[in-house]
Amino acid sequence: MKKLALLAIVLAMGISGIGHMVSTPRRESGITTTENRKYTTQFFSDLLHIDKPYASMQGPYDIRHIDLSQNGKRELLWLTDYDVTVVDEENEPLSSQQYFCHAQIMYENNDLFRKKNNRLFGGSRNLPPKWFVAVPGKSSIHFPEGFALPMYSDEPLQAMTMALNQNPDFQPFDIKLRTDLSYFKDDDLPEPPRALGRFGVAVRLPVLGDAPAEGSEHSCSVTDADGVVTFAKSVSLEAREKDGTLTTPHFFVAPGTYTYKQRFRGADQLPFDTTLHHISAHLHPYGTSIELWDTTENVMLFRSNATTDSRNTHVMNMTEYSGAEGIPMYTDHEYELRATYNNTSATNIDAMAVMYFYFYDKNFTV
Ligand SMILES: [Cu+2]
């Protein structure tokens, strides 16, 4: 499931060819400023030319090969903030972020990450190769005070940014996407912050025509407003689950109201019982909310509400959780995502439903 999700995102971003790159790319070190011991490094995308409307994940994109070292010097850093901003040709922020689609910070490839993670941290760091994802309505991530992602300054990262345009009436124009990463240097801190690990869970629907046999157990189900179970027509990104079912995280939603449920076990995602300290979520337009339930205790732990613009073309805001107190999560509990779409249009719309979690990585050691 985890592997499938990663593959899906790489494919989703239209960058599947990147793995074939042979030479080591030249890395940018960005523009760094500092305030109260916190460093912020900025990277700018190339100009992205918007010449037509683009569906989600089909807009022009940019990839920067980056690291946060000064002169290649290796030091322990603690990442605290990630921000993506739409700017004009002069690097001035635009008033509307409606041209922002997706952005992420991730390792060049999964194998390199596994090797580095073992060599640098003895495998004690519970991060996947992808560290940050920004989506429409949630273009920044700020951890609660005292929590951060640990990294060495010379770890090779890539910053991907992608534009979106869902407005058919416009003159062609250019934008750039600015990525800001903020961090502390371990050497400057009297005490290290608490390390965060990360995982994400997507609703993955069985693809229409390949639905599981009647009565078989599957981790995902869809019911319409009348409680009738339906299966999805896939838009893209299909992959086979371990049980052989073809599933998709990017599906069509017919007109009407639907609730999508995705089950998972705590042990599928966590190495130990711990607490969640930051949760954000991703829905497409017409998505209304996505909830995290502890189904062992039958209690809702968190709900992210979506706000969409009046024409239902762009998600303006997704509410998040960020807190030092944390939300307990247990390896022996069962959990469920419940995402609701209310498609008030007359046609099928495309949709996704994902939650991104940061947890206290209590066994992390340098
Ligand atoms: Cu999406």
Side-chain angles (χ1 to χ4, degrees), residues 56-57 101-102 135-136 249-250 282-284 350-354 356:
S56 173
M57 299 194 293
C101 180
H102 279 73
V135 293
H250 191 198
H282 173 49
L283 294 172
H284 288 195
D350 81 293
M352 293 172 84
V354 191
Y356 308 104

Side-chain angles (χ1 to χ4, degrees), residues 161-356:
T161 51
M162 188 183 276
L164 175 75
N165 175 36
Q166 293 184 319
N167 178 4
D169 321 312
F170 73 105
Q171 293 294 317
F173 62 101
D174 292 327
I175 58 165
K176 289 191 212 172
L177 289 159
R178 190 185 82 201
T179 298
D180 291 24
L181 283 169
S182 299
Y183 50 93
F184 292 102
K185 295 186 176 186
D186 190 70
D187 281 350
D188 293 344
L189 300 174
E191 245 181 73
R194 279 187 274 177
L196 291 172
R198 178 186 189 274
F199 67 92
V201 180
V203 168
R204 297 193 62 94
L205 298 179
V207 173
L208 197 69
D210 198 57
E214 186 125 17
S216 76
E217 271 281 288
H218 195 269
S219 60
C220 193
S221 68
V222 196
T223 49
D224 65 15
D226 302 321
V228 177
V229 176
T230 62
F231 293 97
K233 202 169 145 201
S234 174
V235 180
S236 65
L237 312 175
E238 300 91 0
R240 289 244 173 240
E241 303 279 341
K242 267 191 251 124
D243 69 0
T245 312
L246 191 67
T247 66
T248 178
H250 191 198
F251 45 87
F252 284 111
V253 176
T257 302
Y258 297 88
T259 298
Y260 299 87
K261 294 181 180 177
Q262 176 70 52
R263 279 190 288 140
F264 63 99
R265 291 174 310 148
D268 294 340
Q269 304 295 344
L270 290 174
F272 36 66
D273 293 349
T274 184
T275 38
L276 303 170
H277 293 276
H278 192 281
I279 309 174
S280 59
H282 173 49
L283 294 172
H284 288 195
Y286 297 102
T288 55
S289 67
I290 178 166
E291 299 169 346
L292 171 68
W293 282 76
D294 179 331
T295 48
T296 304
E297 303 278 356
N298 195 29
V299 23
M300 188 181 73
L301 299 178
F302 170 68
R303 175 197 286 136
S304 176
N305 292 310
T307 309
T308 311
D309 70 306
S310 57
R311 292 183 309 154
N312 270 314
T313 57
H314 197 71
V315 178
M316 311 284 284
N317 187 54
M318 298 284 310
T319 53
E320 66 177 10
Y321 170 76
S322 183
E325 69 282 10
I327 297 172
M329 191 175 241
Y330 305 97
T331 52
D332 66 351
H333 281 205
E334 300 256 347
Y335 296 90
E336 197 166 85
L337 296 186
R338 296 181 188 170
T340 302
Y341 271 85
N342 180 18
N343 178 4
T344 53
S345 79
T347 55
N348 284 353
I349 48 130
D350 81 293
M352 293 172 84
V354 191
M355 251 189 203
Y356 308 104

